[in-house]
Amino acid sequence: SAVGRGPEVPFRSEAYSISAIARGKELRLTLSALDPAAGPAAQDLVFRFGMSGSFRLSPAAELPRHAHLRFLTRESPPRALCFVDPRRFGSWRLGDAWQPERGPCVVSEYQAFRENVLKNLDDRAFDKAICEVLLNQKYFNGIGNYLRAEILYRLKIPPFEKARTVLEALKEQEQERRKKDPSLTLSKKVKLRQENPDLLELCHTVPMEVIMAEKQLLDPEHSDYYSTVKNWLQCYLVPGMSSLRDRSGRTIWFQVGAWGCCLELGSPQTTPPRGHWPTPRRKSPQLKADPEAPSPKVTPRALKQRRRAAAKPPKSEEREEEEEEQADGPRKGRARGRSKVAAAPALPEVPQSVRRSRRTSARRGKGDTGSA
């Protein structure tokens, strides 16, 4: 299309076929002329779908919106196989090469995927939280945002548990299983894994569940398509679940109950990173150090009183937030000031009004405590 951002496809043929193969989050299309002798050489295209990319087959006269690349049929009336991407996060490039930084596919290359993860646990990438590492396509090629939520939910793994801690436990379990009974047949091993799947196994089986559901419906415009996917979800976007943003800005969905124990234990590996869990506002460091120390700056309490007296217009939201953050400081200073004034020796001949005035001036930080 005129607004498509992808490169032009240098392939022209009156009769050709399209075949496809997927690997993780990438899809490779191969355009082949039906008559190789008379037609052009085969052309490969590798697609990335982003968040909204998909393929759709529709009448050529009724192209869907955002159809950025179209393959027309020879039938009458013709139809078009369209690459549709409303958000334009998807892309395609010429050639058959997969992206080099992507690891083995969690679906089609499961054994290679598993070995790639377990043999590279020393990589610094696994210092991060497990929810963030699951989006690292170098090791988890094919796992996206909704899949990581479903996988962690099924195993009741806290999202911000350190990835290496979780995966090293799998490595140890696998070694112990081999030592205990090395004579287990393949069918028995498969049965045991189906009954007690680990994290890496769910990275394979959970996407397969989605693929099988989509094969039954075939068409994303099917009336039951989205209701089927919605009913399949157990955690992602499900009412009653909670969500936080990880360090990369992606939203992770999880079960609140599973988090309760982790927060009580206070483990640094399972606690969300700073800024991702609701915490009380911090007090001002100046007031914390010495609330009664003289300062060239006017205190927030004095500013408030001046504002009321002079009927000045309200301050900006940013300044109001600063005053709210410092609210605990002046209150503590006032309490200390009050106790000191009360502890000072009071002379019988001093009237009550004078002592009250002294407390007020001390509290406000104005004038001399000896003046009335």
Side-chain angles (χ1 to χ4, degrees), residues 167-184:
L167 296 169
E168 280 183 344
L170 301 187
K171 193 173 184 179
E172 293 173 0
Q173 291 174 6
E174 191 168 290
Q175 292 173 350
E176 290 178 1
R177 189 185 302 172
R178 291 176 180 175
K179 290 179 181 178
K180 286 181 179 178
D181 197 350
S183 62
L184 282 177

Side-chain angles (χ1 to χ4, degrees), residues 146 207-220 225 228-229:
Y146 81 98
M208 286 299 299
E209 292 178 13
V210 183
I211 293 172
M212 297 307 297
E214 290 180 344
K215 281 185 177 180
Q216 294 175 359
L217 298 173
L218 294 179
D219 186 2
Y225 181 82
T228 301
V229 174

Side-chain angles (χ1 to χ4, degrees), residues 16 25 44 54 66 91 100-101 107 110 114 117 156-157 172 200 205 231 241-242 245 254 266 278 282 321 329 332 356:
Y16 64 97
K25 287 192 173 185
D44 292 304
S54 65
H66 311 289
S91 62
E101 65 270 19
V107 173
Y110 171 67
R114 187 179 183 92
V117 172
K156 299 295 182 277
I157 296 176
E172 293 173 0
L200 299 180
T205 58
N231 293 334
M241 298 294 169
S242 295
R245 290 191 180 274
F254 58 93
R282 295 181 178 179
E321 289 180 359
K332 289 183 178 180
R356 193 174 295 153

Side-chain angles (χ1 to χ4, degrees), residues 14 32 92 163 180 237 295 309 354:
E14 291 298 323
S32 305
W92 68 86
K180 286 181 179 178
L237 296 177
S295 172
V354 174

Side-chain angles (χ1 to χ4, degrees), residues 202-247:
L202 285 187
C203 287
H204 171 73
T205 58
V206 172
M208 286 299 299
E209 292 178 13
V210 183
I211 293 172
M212 297 307 297
E214 290 180 344
K215 281 185 177 180
Q216 294 175 359
L217 298 173
L218 294 179
D219 186 2
E221 294 185 346
H222 193 282
S223 59
D224 295 331
Y225 181 82
Y226 290 105
S227 61
T228 301
V229 174
K230 184 178 179 181
N231 293 334
W232 174 83
L233 293 171
Q234 300 179 30
C235 179
Y236 184 77
L237 296 177
V238 173
M241 298 294 169
S242 295
S243 62
L244 289 172
R245 290 191 180 274
D246 61 22
R247 293 183 187 274

Side-chain angles (χ1 to χ4, degrees), residues 5 14 31 77 89 136 149 166 173 185 187-188 217 277 336-337 367:
R5 297 179 180 177
E14 291 298 323
L31 313 179
F89 290 165
N136 187 337
V166 176
Q173 291 174 6
T185 62
S187 59
K188 289 183 179 180
L217 298 173
W277 193 266
R336 292 194 189 102

